[in-house]
Amino acid sequence: MIMILKKALELTKSIEDYRLDMDELAKKKGFSNPDVITISQKLDQKMLAVQKILYTIYTPQTGTLDYQSHKHG
């Protein structure tokens, strides 16, 4: 479980870095610039990865995190 959460935190930090980079570049080159679009796509991939991680530990039936099945990870 700790490793899963660590990975999610690392991705979250990376997402913030990409977002800041994208904002700066978009201000300089515009939102339709190919470089801005590329960063945006990478940002989407990283956000999806965080969502997948969280989904693996989330129990939809109860609406809670499933600590028991991931406590050794």
Side-chain angles (χ1 to χ4, degrees):
M1 176 73 150
I2 302 269
M3 295 303 293
I4 293 170
L5 293 175
K6 183 178 178 184
K7 181 65 176 174
L9 287 172
E10 290 170 356
L11 280 167
T12 301
K13 172 66 175 136
S14 178
I15 287 167
E16 180 62 17
D17 292 342
Y18 268 78
R19 189 190 64 74
L20 292 172
D21 290 345
M22 186 180 72
D23 285 346
E24 283 294 315
L25 193 59
K27 287 176 186 174
K28 293 176 186 174
K29 296 186 176 185
F31 286 101
S32 61
N33 179 277
D35 294 333
V36 175
I37 292 170
T38 297
I39 292 174
S40 177
Q41 291 169 339
K42 289 180 182 179
L43 194 54
D44 289 345
Q45 291 170 351
K46 288 178 179 291
M47 288 188 294
L48 183 59
V50 170
Q51 288 174 341
K52 286 180 180 179
I53 289 170
L54 294 177
Y55 185 77
T56 64
I57 60 174
Y58 182 75
T59 305
Q61 296 84 1
T62 63
T64 61
L65 293 178
D66 184 3
Y67 294 109
Q68 296 303 316
S69 64
H70 294 91
K71 66 181 178 183
H72 296 292

